[in-house]
Amino acid sequence: MRPIAWTRIAVTVATISVIAAACASDTSEPSAAPTSAVPLEDQELVVSNWAAYTPEGLVEDFEKETGVEVTLLEDHVNNEDVVGKLQASDGVGRDVVFISGPYVKTLLDNGWIGELDHSQIPNLANLYPEATELAYDPGNVYSVPYTWGTTGLCYRTDLVDTEIDSWLDLLAPDPSLEGKITMLGTERWLLQPALLSLGYSINTQDAAQIDEAKELTIAAKQHLLAFDDTVFYEKLDSGEASMVHAWDGWCNYAVNENVEFVVPSEGSDVFSDTMVITEASENKEAAHAFINFVLEPENHVKVAELVLYKVPNGPAMELLDPEIVKAYPNLGITPEELLAFETELDLGDAQTAWSQAVAEIKAS
Amino acid sequence: MARRDDAGTGNRAQGALFLGPGLVYWLALFLVPVGLILVYSFFRRTSIGGIEYTFTLDNYVRATEPLFVKVFLFSIRTALITTAIALVLGYATAYFIATRPVRYRLPLLVLVVLPFWTNLLIRTYAWIALLNNEGLINKGLRGLGIIESPLPLLNNQFSIVVGLLYAFLPLMVLPLYASIERLGPRLREAGADLGGSPTSVFRRVTFPMTIPGVLAGCIFVFVPSLANFIVPDLLGGGLKSMIGNLIQQQFFQARDWPFGAALAMWVIAITMILLVFQALMLRREGRMSGRGA
């Protein structure tokens, strides 16, 4: 346990020094050489991910194969929380970080991550060509997609009598669904149904469009049971909710057999959770090896089996049991279909206007 | 009090020794963080969510926009309702425990703090299981034929107050218990012997003598209720923002630390005002009882 303690101490010291030097302009140190002198089996890794997002045994198998000692932190609450944690430690203390696509730019702009060395990740060849073209990082220069998917409506066919095929079914629902609907409350997804139903980009930076989407969402809020990003599928199971705004994989967590997932006709987003390597990592060789290990088809398919999201890895998807795909049709969405949707991008200065709109919706 | 300062250097060294750990704690965990928040609140957000070190008052101006004032008022109202109910329930509980035979008091106090042994998040989810439309209470009442459609118990101000009350009630009971217990039964008995009815003994003896406990308990409940963000998120269904949610949103989702810091300064300011008020009341209280002695 001693290595962990040392890492913690290092993180603490780093945090304190960052705080102490809060006003100093530049405290960055020269980053380690791409291949460190320490042999691979003596390297250590801190990998951080969402809870229940890493297949059981993956880390242990990697440790066995490489001799690298891995500390898996399952402490990600959401993307914003990860960014906050990296901001608080100035990107120190984690080697491989799992984060959603649009935040790759955020981490890059802050200097917390760097370019990947593709020669150390030969398994990148397993990625679908579409997965190398995702708009937030074309060419996978800084990030490797781990899972990908889309957002839609997840509902109980036995409780919903009307046809569900539009975002307006969520925003201006049939009276029978009054108080029986939940929406995602996270900033990036909260405005999406309104923006998509209005035909606007999900990355709009136009104040008038954000405002219009805000008004539409405030009106929609009157019909909601709750905003829910975490346990909406349980609400479907209990019958408390009849329809929820959901990520495709999470819709599968509802155990009720009458639950169905649909992508509204106006289209949706394509999101990807990715793996990045921190600039501060002192064991970049091990970090690259870890990403390469995940991309092995027999490892990556376990991710699809566990989280029931698609993985952007052709050979891995071929290994997936057809019975699972039959049971969870979202796994059958093809890369082409997915790429027809817009990718979430960083909002830049428009972030403040988005946040204000979200605060107004939440406070209304 | 001033006379004690004339003590010898040995005592002074001893004083420093005893004061040291507390002082370090106060510096490291209070003064430094609050100082950082204060400093951040005068800067600007960069487009990548960092901090641009140019002085500005914009964050404080923005914090007075109607949206934020509205959320503030809602938070204050919710925290006040919570505190008022906690005072009534907490006083009754503390009075009951303090008037039991000594051997029962400790076990009863342990029962009061027992919920703290379980994670607040888990206990909050338990309330969801109880209060939701398909939850224990609504299903039970429907099963008994008492109601037809579910009562709106969750995702509103009521459930937020329930959650806050549940989370912070022990913080009301403990200082009140200390006050009432210290007061002892003799003054109450004297009041009764002098012909006071139970009500007037309580009104004119017990309650005024336990004002310090009342003040402490109210502040202990009001302040964390005001700034809480987990309860409105989970039990409020995210439908009603409290100031804690806005601050959290600014620090994480919006990555606007300076503005989040400015909002946090308002909460800190309210806390400070309450603490000063408490100190003034206690001093007045002290003078009054000093005169009586």
Side-chain angles (χ1 to χ4, degrees):
Chain A
M1 286 295 106
R2 228 172 118 199
I4 301 171
W6 280 116
T7 316
R8 288 225 179 110
I9 290 166
V11 172
T12 314
V13 170
T15 311
I16 292 170
S17 56
V18 166
I19 290 169
C23 295
S25 55
D26 191 5
T27 52
S28 66
E29 286 164 30
S31 56
T35 327
S36 57
V38 184
L40 184 61
E41 60 271 22
D42 291 339
Q43 297 185 20
E44 286 161 21
L45 275 189
V46 178
V47 177
S48 74
N49 199 354
W50 286 271
Y53 215 51
T54 320
E56 212 175 309
L58 183 83
V59 164
E60 291 78 1
D61 290 348
F62 173 73
E63 286 181 321
K64 243 177 271 165
E65 191 177 294
T66 59
V68 175
E69 193 172 328
V70 179
T71 306
L72 177 66
L73 303 175
E74 296 190 298
D75 65 345
H76 291 193
V77 178
N78 50 39
N79 287 302
E80 294 83 4
D81 168 66
V82 185
V83 175
K85 280 170 175 151
L86 287 169
Q87 188 157 5
S89 69
D90 202 23
V92 177
R94 292 157 198 258
D95 299 287
V96 177
V97 175
F98 286 70
I99 195 150
S100 298
Y103 295 87
V104 170
K105 183 176 182 311
T106 312
L107 303 194
L108 183 67
D109 286 342
N110 282 286
W112 299 326
I113 60 170
E115 281 190 30
L116 301 171
D117 178 1
H118 284 200
S119 70
Q120 295 186 57
I121 318 176
N123 284 335
L124 278 174
N126 292 337
L127 291 179
Y128 289 116
E130 288 86 350
T132 65
E133 292 161 12
L134 292 162
Y136 59 82
D137 181 19
N140 305 115
V141 182
Y142 307 101
S143 64
V144 176
Y146 177 68
T147 56
W148 61 354
T150 187
T151 314
L153 299 174
C154 180
Y155 64 102
R156 287 266 300 262
T157 51
D158 56 332
L159 297 177
V160 177
D161 299 326
T162 55
E163 197 192 348
I164 303 297
D165 65 349
S166 162
W167 287 111
L168 290 173
D169 296 324
L170 175 76
L171 298 169
D174 187 82
S176 64
L177 296 175
E178 190 71 38
K180 294 279 204 176
I181 296 174
T182 73
M183 264 179 86
L184 296 172
T186 317
E187 231 169 270
R188 289 311 301 264
W189 280 282
L190 179 60
L191 285 176
Q192 242 180 51
L195 287 171
L196 287 163
S197 72
L198 291 164
Y200 299 148
S201 162
I202 59 168
N203 297 306
T204 184
Q205 303 200 10
D206 180 313
Q209 293 185 352
I210 295 171
D211 206 50
E212 213 179 323
K214 178 192 81 187
E215 293 301 331
L216 193 54
T217 312
I218 287 176
K221 186 181 156 184
Q222 316 310 320
H223 310 294
L224 293 183
L225 173 70
F227 286 115
D228 191 341
D229 295 90
T230 46
V231 291
F232 47 80
Y233 51 91
E234 289 175 6
K235 294 193 168 97
L236 274 185
D237 277 335
S238 71
E240 209 192 340
S242 305
M243 178 166 76
V244 299
H245 178 204
W247 300 296
D248 64 333
W250 284 47
C251 183
N252 295 332
Y253 300 164
V255 291
N256 188 291
E257 55 187 13
N258 298 310
V259 169
E260 220 159 81
F261 178 79
V262 64
V263 178
S265 55
E266 297 94 338
S268 188
D269 65 331
V270 50
F271 60 78
S272 172
D273 290 331
T274 74
M275 301 175 275
V276 296
I277 298 178
T278 59
E279 191 63 16
S281 168
E282 285 175 7
N283 294 306
K284 293 208 170 73
E285 188 189 357
H288 281 90
F290 180 81
I291 291 177
N292 195 52
F293 185 79
V294 171
L295 291 177
E296 287 288 346
E298 59 270 25
N299 295 329
H300 216 167
V301 68
K302 287 185 201 146
V303 177
E305 286 164 358
L306 169 79
V307 300
L308 300 174
Y309 271 121
K310 294 170 290 302
V311 295
N313 183 322
M317 287 303 280
E318 276 165 34
L319 292 178
L320 196 60
D321 183 351
E323 286 302 311
I324 295 184
V325 183
K326 218 165 92 188
Y328 304 107
N330 72 302
L331 294 173
I333 301 177
T334 65
E336 301 84 62
E337 287 170 324
L338 212 50
L339 263 282
F341 304 139
E342 203 181 347
T343 312
E344 287 187 346
L345 298 173
D346 188 81
L347 295 167
D349 283 331
Q351 178 68 56
T352 305
W354 271 71
S355 299
Q356 180 84 7
V358 168
E360 284 181 39
I361 293 166
K362 291 286 184 74
S364 69
Chain B
M1 276 262 239
R3 254 170 283 143
R4 273 186 219 154
D5 288 351
D6 301 336
T9 42
N11 268 353
R12 207 167 286 171
Q14 201 179 30
L17 189 71
F18 283 130
L19 204 59
L23 208 60
V24 169
Y25 180 89
W26 180 74
L27 270 173
L29 296 176
F30 177 75
L31 210 58
V32 170
V34 171
L36 275 179
I37 292 173
L38 182 66
V39 169
Y40 280 150
S41 69
F42 293 111
F43 292 134
R44 250 181 248 283
R45 174 192 197 269
T46 66
S47 61
I48 60 168
I51 292 154
E52 186 191 310
Y53 296 100
T54 44
F55 180 85
T56 175
L57 289 172
D58 288 356
N59 297 314
Y60 286 96
V61 175
R62 206 181 142 200
T64 58
E65 281 177 19
L67 163 68
F68 300 109
V69 173
K70 186 177 131 186
V71 174
F72 241 109
L73 291 178
F74 175 77
S75 309
I76 290 173
R77 215 165 44 236
T78 307
L80 277 178
I81 296 171
T82 306
T83 309
I85 301 174
L87 179 59
V88 174
L89 293 179
Y91 206 105
T93 311
Y95 192 93
F96 175 80
I97 297 175
T99 50
R100 287 319 92 188
V102 179
R103 68 178 182 282
Y104 292 129
R105 289 182 200 167
L106 187 65
L108 286 170
L109 281 177
V110 169
L111 287 181
V112 170
V113 294
L114 199 62
F116 280 140
W117 296 1
T118 315
N119 185 299
L120 177 64
L121 212 55
I122 293 168
R123 289 183 283 138
T124 307
Y125 271 105
W127 276 105
I128 296 180
L130 280 176
L131 298 178
N132 79 63
N133 287 348
E134 300 294 323
L136 215 59
I137 295 174
N138 270 317
K139 259 194 169 155
L141 290 177
R142 244 178 310 169
L144 293 169
I146 297 170
I147 53 168
E148 274 177 18
S149 53
L151 298 171
L153 299 177
L154 193 62
N155 304 329
N156 48 34
Q157 194 181 14
F158 168 79
S159 55
I160 297 177
V161 169
V162 167
L164 292 173
L165 190 58
Y166 172 74
F168 302 125
L169 188 58
L171 301 181
M172 179 68 88
V173 174
L174 296 178
L176 279 173
Y177 167 79
S179 276
I180 299 168
E181 206 248 355
R182 203 178 311 133
L183 184 61
R186 278 179 302 168
L187 283 177
R188 281 197 302 274
E189 285 162 12
D193 288 347
L194 293 169
S197 68
T199 340
S200 73
V201 167
F202 178 77
R203 205 163 44 82
R204 298 174 66 178
V205 180
T206 312
F207 191 75
M209 297 297 285
T210 52
I211 287 285
V214 170
L215 286 174
C218 286
I219 288 178
F220 286 170
V221 172
F222 182 82
V223 170
S225 297
L226 184 70
N228 192 286
F229 64 89
I230 293 172
V231 171
D233 233 21
L234 293 178
L235 294 179
L239 295 174
K240 277 283 172 200
S241 279
M242 283 179 66
I243 194 67
N245 301 92
L246 282 189
I247 295 172
Q248 198 235 9
Q249 190 210 358
Q250 291 305 323
F251 272 92
F252 289 99
Q253 301 195 23
R255 279 184 295 117
D256 193 341
W257 287 25
F259 183 55
L263 289 175
M265 283 314 296
W266 282 113
V267 177
I268 293 171
I270 292 178
T271 309
M272 290 298 168
I273 291 169
L274 286 173
L275 289 175
V276 168
F277 171 76
Q278 182 198 25
L280 289 176
M281 288 288 282
L282 286 183
R283 194 194 283 177
R284 213 187 62 162
E285 196 71 20
R287 269 209 308 272
M288 273 163 56
S289 48
R291 222 181 14 234

